Amino acid sequence: MDLKSNHSSPVLADSVPVSKPRLGLSSNLVPYSPPAPTYPPGLYLSIPRRKVTTGKFDDIRESAWLDAMVASSPTCKKLNKDFGHESSKDEADTTYSIWLMKFPSALSSLDQIKYNANGKKIALFLDYDGTLSPIVDNPDFAVMSPAMRAAVGNVAKCFPTAIISGRSRDKVYEFVGLRELYYAGSHGMDIMGPVRESLPVNDHPNCIRSTDKQGKKVNLFQPASEFLPMINEVFRSLVESTKGIDGAKVENNKFCVSVHYRLVDLKNWAEVACCVENILKGYPRLRLTHGRKVLEIRPVIDWNKGRAVEFLLESLGLSYSDDVLPIYVGDDRTDEDAFKVLREGNRGFGILVSSKPKETNAFYSLRDPYEVMSFLKSLVKWKKSTSLGG
Ligand SMILES: O=P(O)(O)OC[C@H]1O[C@H](O[C@H]2O[C@H](CO)[C@@H](O)[C@H](O)[C@H]2O)[C@H](O)[C@@H](O)[C@@H]1O
């Protein structure tokens, strides 16, 4: 198989916004009505043509790459500037408070959330890094606190709960270690979900029956499985090409590769970008996305965390039902795909975890993983009180 040619997979497009009314939440309770996002019909989306450069540092400096790297690693100063403010602490607080009017805290909006959830079945989707564990310098040490693990375990006893991460599925399972959850790794390109006997497995190509570590029957969905050799090749090349850049770290996330520059001196960021761009030039079926001080290389397929949410809802028998309220909590740009799916489908809502103002398709916000934990605990408390007839 020619893995470098561009002939088979659905070609993906970075999203283009459209509008739809929101049915899932009563309009007077919805905090924010954005200009409606739209997708063109059909699966085949178009991706902007990659700017052809010679892959030299000067090209990188002139290209949008470096801007995007800086933009995805916002300092307080930059964000405040974006929102038209200078960067004193007081002004940053004021800017955040103004932003909170548009994206209210999920903790302060608990009554509203409970009102919307009343009589509905909540399905919970959680991102990992920056949501359940704080962002740390070394991705290998992004462990989850025991208190957070207990909170996630408890919420999973009350509601179907899935983790959807950019990490490999095995890695995120290693960090979380809770059996009662569903796990999707590689930005949703590696999903281990429940088996629904009523649904034929071949409803989805690339979906197979398998067993999990405990021997339970599961569905394993890997829409990018044909890219595995290519991703491994790219991982090896990037390890080699970045090895001279102090602080750069390449992570193999199975169906995608992350190139971290959090510990790289700012003056060498262009060098990191240059290595990635040089490799990408040889792989037209791979594309780049930006995360938090990380460049991520992934297959050009029409699949993302939003599609993973839809897939899991279907596997759980929770799609197409007005009685279901999906909630997605995440902090990253890649989580926006999931926020968008919920917003456009008028079913449920996203909660952005951010201590800085950001444009988002989420409805609500939480400042940090600590607030995420409080929110999860509140959901459990509420569920228990309603089960007891409270
Ligand atoms: O989808 P997620 O679970 O949020 O994963 C996204 C990426 O998270 C990790 O990187 C980020 O967190 C690291 C640990 O805090 C941090 O060092 C890094 O700078 C962040 O970008 C993970 O290492 C990546 O593979 C994930 O894609």
Side-chain angles (χ1 to χ4, degrees):
M1 183 173 25
D2 173 14
L3 286 171
K4 289 191 182 182
S5 67
N6 202 359
H7 61 270
S8 69
S9 297
V11 176
L12 180 129
D14 281 343
S15 43
V16 187
V18 194
S19 78
K20 259 187 188 176
R22 269 177 286 142
L23 304 173
L25 302 172
S26 49
S27 58
N28 57 332
L29 295 172
V30 171
Y32 165 57
S33 297
T38 333
Y39 288 102
L43 266 181
Y44 292 80
L45 310 169
S46 65
I47 198 162
R49 220 174 256 281
R50 197 173 291 146
K51 188 181 165 193
V52 180
T53 72
T54 54
K56 292 189 186 127
F57 294 168
D58 287 345
D59 297 326
I60 290 289
R61 284 197 190 99
E62 281 165 22
S63 77
W65 278 59
L66 211 51
D67 290 344
M69 287 166 83
V70 173
S72 64
S73 316
T75 60
C76 198
K77 191 173 172 197
K78 174 171 186 313
L79 266 166
N80 288 330
K81 224 173 104 210
D82 286 351
F83 278 71
H85 290 264
E86 285 309 316
S87 63
S88 82
K89 166 94 174 64
D90 283 354
E91 279 174 324
D93 289 348
T94 310
T95 310
Y96 191 78
S97 305
I98 293 168
W99 180 77
L100 274 180
M101 290 185 215
K102 204 169 164 188
F103 304 103
S105 159
L107 284 173
S108 333
S109 311
L110 272 171
D111 286 344
Q112 193 180 80
I113 291 172
K114 289 177 200 168
Y115 178 87
N116 280 300
N118 208 12
K120 295 189 178 183
K121 186 165 188 181
I122 290 179
L124 200 55
F125 299 93
L126 304 167
D127 167 57
Y128 182 74
D129 287 282
T131 297
L132 298 182
S133 69
I135 293 293
V136 292
D137 283 347
N138 187 336
D140 295 340
F141 299 148
V143 291
M144 192 164 138
S145 70
M148 181 64 99
R149 183 168 298 102
V152 175
N154 288 334
V155 87
K157 286 181 193 133
C158 298
F159 314 106
T161 303
I163 309 268
I164 304 187
S165 172
R167 303 249 186 187
S168 73
R169 183 167 46 78
D170 283 349
K171 185 75 192 177
V172 80
Y173 180 75
E174 207 178 284
F175 277 138
V176 178
L178 293 165
R179 287 185 198 171
E180 48 274 64
L181 308 184
Y182 303 106
Y183 291 88
S186 311
H187 295 296
M189 289 180 283
D190 187 7
I191 304 178
M192 193 172 265
V195 167
R196 259 182 88 200
E197 297 296 350
S198 56
L199 265 191
V201 71
N202 56 6
D203 244 23
H204 282 280
N206 296 314
C207 189
I208 57 163
R209 286 271 149 87
S210 181
T211 46
D212 69 7
K213 290 196 169 101
Q214 289 75 47
K216 194 175 74 196
K217 264 203 280 177
V218 289
N219 274 339
L220 186 61
F221 182 59
Q222 298 181 326
S225 53
E226 65 172 306
F227 287 87
L228 204 52
M230 190 192 284
I231 292 291
N232 283 328
E233 198 174 286
V234 164
F235 170 70
R236 284 192 298 271
S237 306
L238 279 165
V239 168
E240 186 56 33
S241 67
T242 57
K243 72 179 179 201
I245 308 173
D246 207 21
K249 182 176 173 67
V250 187
E251 189 182 3
N252 189 336
N253 286 329
K254 191 159 184 173
F255 296 110
C256 44
V257 178
S258 296
V259 182
H260 294 274
Y261 55 93
R262 182 171 295 278
L263 294 177
V264 174
D265 196 296
L266 179 62
K267 68 177 187 311
N268 297 327
W269 284 13
E271 205 178 332
V272 175
C274 193
C275 290
V276 174
E277 195 190 26
N278 277 339
I279 302 274
L280 266 180
K281 273 193 289 188
Y283 295 90
R285 295 181 67 208
L286 298 180
R287 68 180 180 119
L288 175 84
T289 55
H290 294 265
R292 298 178 71 170
K293 292 192 178 162
V294 66
L295 297 174
E296 303 203 276
I297 295 164
R298 51 156 112 182
V300 178
I301 61 167
D302 185 14
W303 200 266
N304 53 40
K305 288 183 171 185
R307 299 292 303 272
V309 166
E310 291 175 317
F311 179 91
L312 278 161
L313 284 172
E314 192 185 333
S315 314
L316 290 161
L318 299 177
S319 329
Y320 314 114
S321 168
D322 287 344
D323 300 342
V324 177
L325 185 75
I327 300 177
Y328 187 105
V329 191
D331 71 312
D332 204 340
R333 272 202 210 181
T334 59
D335 299 311
E336 291 295 328
D337 292 318
F339 297 154
K340 223 186 274 178
V341 156
L342 298 185
R343 187 180 272 274
E344 286 171 4
N346 309 306
R347 42 175 181 174
F349 51 83
I351 301 177
L352 175 70
V353 183
S354 180
S355 57
K356 309 257 167 63
K358 272 184 193 169
E359 268 316 316
T360 179
N361 275 291
F363 279 124
Y364 296 108
S365 64
L366 290 168
R367 259 181 200 270
D368 50 33
Y370 188 78
E371 285 201 357
V372 173
M373 187 166 75
S374 304
F375 177 71
L376 299 181
K377 285 181 179 172
S378 304
L379 286 182
V380 171
K381 204 168 150 202
W382 170 67
K383 173 74 181 178
K384 287 191 172 154
S385 70
T386 54
S387 310
L388 293 171

